[in-house]
Amino acid sequence: MKPFNSSAVFLVPAAPLPSRSPGDQLTFRTLRRGDIVVLAARGEADAFTLALWRRKVREAADSAATGGGALIVDATRLGFLSLRTLEALAADAADYRRDGVEICLVTGNPRLARLAGTDPRTASLPIRSTVVAAVTVLRPPPETAAPRPGRFRAPPIPGDEPGIDRSAYPAGKIVPGDAAGLPDTVIGSAMPRRR
């Protein structure tokens, strides 16, 4: 039997390394709700995936621009978001804001939001903690909401309306009854004038 020679080198053919692409590390899903486009990102957004990130953000912003809406970038499922990627998003948001498209970032990481707020390159980027909060900011409620069916709303009675000569009843005042036998009544809360 031959003794083992420790200086012998064994060459084993190595399997080729699988090639990585940015799409393997970062995936996107685009949803449209009315005039708002939501771009949900999952994975890691770093220098390796920056070109893919910018391309997808621009495609979604262009889609939002055709409908005259806004873009929400949902980064709540990102494992990592680099500052360089955040700066690129802020730069794209500034460019599209000039075209009338507002871009808002959603992240559940308060440290990232705080850091972005202190950096002058990213301070103008709106950041919210939920998609609902971002939608609320991007689509404010209408000024005059119609009353819901089934709910009674008393019409306002202006004091200077002609033809109204009845007095208002302040809280705590005793209103006398009448000759028909109605008892005196104490007003618990202020009552508006009646028509």
Side-chain angles (χ1 to χ4, degrees):
M1 182 184 257
K2 265 180 147 177
F4 179 72
N5 185 354
S6 63
S7 64
V9 176
F10 296 99
L11 296 176
V12 177
L17 293 175
S19 62
R20 251 177 72 204
S21 73
D24 296 337
Q25 188 171 327
L26 185 63
T27 58
F28 293 92
R29 183 174 172 200
T30 306
L31 306 166
R32 185 174 196 98
R33 296 288 183 251
D35 57 346
I36 294 181
V37 175
V38 178
L39 179 67
R42 183 180 228 170
E44 295 182 359
D46 55 12
F48 181 64
T49 60
L50 182 61
L52 174 65
W53 172 274
R54 290 194 89 164
R55 182 169 44 98
K56 291 294 188 175
V57 166
R58 288 176 179 160
E59 287 173 3
D62 289 338
S63 174
T66 59
L71 171 64
I72 296 172
V73 178
D74 183 6
T76 55
R77 292 190 170 209
L78 283 180
F80 179 76
L81 178 63
S82 72
L83 289 178
R84 179 66 187 112
T85 305
L86 189 62
E87 289 172 10
L89 180 62
D92 289 340
D95 290 342
Y96 279 98
R97 189 174 299 121
R98 286 189 283 273
D99 296 335
V101 177
E102 190 68 33
I103 297 178
C104 183
L105 175 68
V106 173
T107 180
N109 187 342
R111 288 184 290 175
L112 181 65
R114 201 169 39 249
L115 181 65
T118 60
D119 188 350
R121 295 169 292 189
T122 58
S124 65
L125 179 67
I127 299 177
R128 297 292 179 261
S129 60
T130 64
V131 173
V132 173
V135 168
T136 304
V137 167
L138 295 174
R139 186 188 307 156
E143 296 280 330
T144 57
R148 289 183 268 167
R151 295 192 52 113
F152 174 73
R153 290 195 181 194
I157 301 174
D160 58 346
E161 186 174 327
I164 295 185
D165 54 356
R166 297 185 183 107
S167 59
Y169 299 115
K173 180 169 175 134
I174 297 176
V175 179
D178 62 1
L182 292 174
D184 293 344
T185 306
V186 177
I187 304 298
S189 62
M191 295 179 61
R193 296 180 189 179
R194 295 180 171 214
R195 293 189 181 244

